[in-house]
Amino acid sequence: MAALSPILDHVVIDVRDRIDEARCRFESLGFQLTPRGRHTLGSVNHLAMFATDYLELLGFAQDGSIRPEIMRFPIGLNGLVFKTADADLVHDLAAAAGLPILPVQSFSRPVALGSVTHDAQFRTTRLDPAQVAIGRVYFCEHQTPQLVWRPEWQIHSNGACAIDRVVVATADPQRTGSLFRGLFGDNATADRNGGQIIAAESAQVELATPEAVQAEFGDAAANPAGRTEYMAALGIRVRSLPAAEQCLRSVPGLRVEPHRLVVPADAAFNTAIAFSE
């Protein structure tokens, strides 16, 4: 599996049928969101675009179909997506390694730029969510990245410019880490404070025990909704922490700490968000 590199593409917050509410909520947190996208798969989304990665709010509208893989998870941070230039290669390497990889899927969504509408096209290959407890882990091949990463969509009033952490709660970080070692090689994980770290270029994926997550986030932590493994928190890098504090000061339960701001999960669709410079 040495041909694969762990480079974060985006994370997904599932909002189910509350896409309008989610858009308003995240705009109130200072994110500029893209216009609503409608996938050929039936789902709808809004994106908060950063320099090389992004945050996706994913749900379904009343006139769209309901994707079963979304419905199996509660509202919250449930998608961890890595970049690939070749979804077929990922599929073949993962299958050869005995990982529960699903067939490559192609889909698109229209993107209006001025008076012209284009199709943003994607190819993804996913680990079977029925066999991966932490959530939906998959790879995305962007066939039209110029329609996704637009400079006009990368300006946020909270100063957000990148995802720098994805925190996964798991009772056994070593065992969960074996999934990432299977994908990216034996050296993909490193031990830290009783957990595991996966470097994903400008971001890192942290596998921590539920006790460690609780110790860090306290009552700001996400509700596990009965799960023993789940994506618990998100770290966002901002250009200026004082400016971000001004933007976020009206958020209920905002925690102002010496080197970061924590938006509690209750205020962000069951996703604790830590903002730092």
Side-chain angles (χ1 to χ4, degrees):
M1 296 297 293
L4 298 184
S5 298
I7 303 173
L8 183 69
D9 188 76
H10 67 281
V11 297
V12 184
I13 297 177
D14 290 334
V15 302
R16 296 197 176 207
D17 59 350
R18 296 166 61 189
I19 189 71
D20 292 323
E21 181 187 347
R23 175 183 57 80
C24 292
R25 182 75 57 85
F26 278 79
E27 286 179 342
S28 75
L29 295 176
F31 293 104
Q32 179 190 189
L33 299 177
T34 58
R36 180 161 302 176
R38 294 181 177 271
H39 297 126
T40 51
L41 299 175
S43 48
V44 296
N45 70 357
H46 291 283
L47 311 178
M49 299 302 307
F50 310 125
T52 62
D53 49 39
Y54 60 92
L55 165 64
E56 178 178 18
L57 304 177
L58 182 67
F60 44 86
Q62 291 182 346
D63 58 348
S65 60
I66 297 174
R67 291 169 58 182
E69 73 269 24
I70 299 175
M71 289 302 298
R72 70 178 298 115
F73 294 103
I75 281 176
L77 180 64
N78 295 315
L80 174 62
V81 190
F82 296 98
K83 294 182 185 293
T84 182
D86 188 339
D88 291 304
L89 175 64
V90 172
H91 175 273
D92 293 347
L93 289 172
L99 296 172
I101 196 77
L102 298 178
V104 174
Q105 186 174 46
S106 298
F107 61 97
S108 64
R109 61 175 171 84
V111 176
L113 299 178
S115 60
V116 181
T117 298
H118 309 265
D119 282 334
Q121 299 177 16
F122 314 90
R123 301 180 78 244
T124 60
T125 187
R126 307 163 186 268
L127 295 174
D128 184 354
Q131 300 184 56
V132 177
I134 65 172
R136 293 186 294 118
V137 178
Y138 59 101
F139 290 78
C140 184
E141 175 189 336
H142 288 269
Q143 297 183 292
T144 52
Q146 73 279 7
L147 299 177
V148 179
W149 277 275
R150 306 285 303 176
E152 63 269 28
W153 294 334
Q154 294 173 311
I155 301 169
H156 305 279
S157 58
N158 60 19
C161 55
I163 296 168
D164 64 4
R165 299 175 71 198
V166 181
V167 181
V168 177
T170 169
D172 190 343
Q174 281 284 346
R175 178 182 55 78
T176 305
S178 66
L179 169 69
F180 297 94
R181 291 189 292 274
L183 285 171
F184 303 118
D186 292 342
N187 297 321
T189 63
D191 295 332
R192 194 179 80 177
N193 299 330
Q196 295 268 288
I197 301 293
I198 300 96
E201 205 160 74
S202 62
Q204 64 182 23
V205 179
E206 304 175 17
L207 310 178
T209 64
E211 293 78 13
V213 171
Q214 182 65 29
E216 179 178 354
F217 292 97
D219 58 8
N223 180 351
R227 296 170 294 172
T228 57
E229 297 186 33
Y230 59 98
M231 299 180 194
L234 188 62
I236 300 286
R237 190 175 306 120
V238 296
R239 302 185 191 284
S240 166
L241 202 57
E245 183 179 350
Q246 284 292 105
C247 179
L248 297 168
R249 60 185 176 181
S250 64
V251 174
L254 178 70
R255 282 175 28 185
V256 180
E257 300 178 357
H259 301 292
R260 68 177 189 172
L261 306 166
V262 178
V263 171
D266 286 348
F269 275 71
N270 200 34
T271 303
I273 305 177
F275 293 86
S276 61
E277 287 188 25

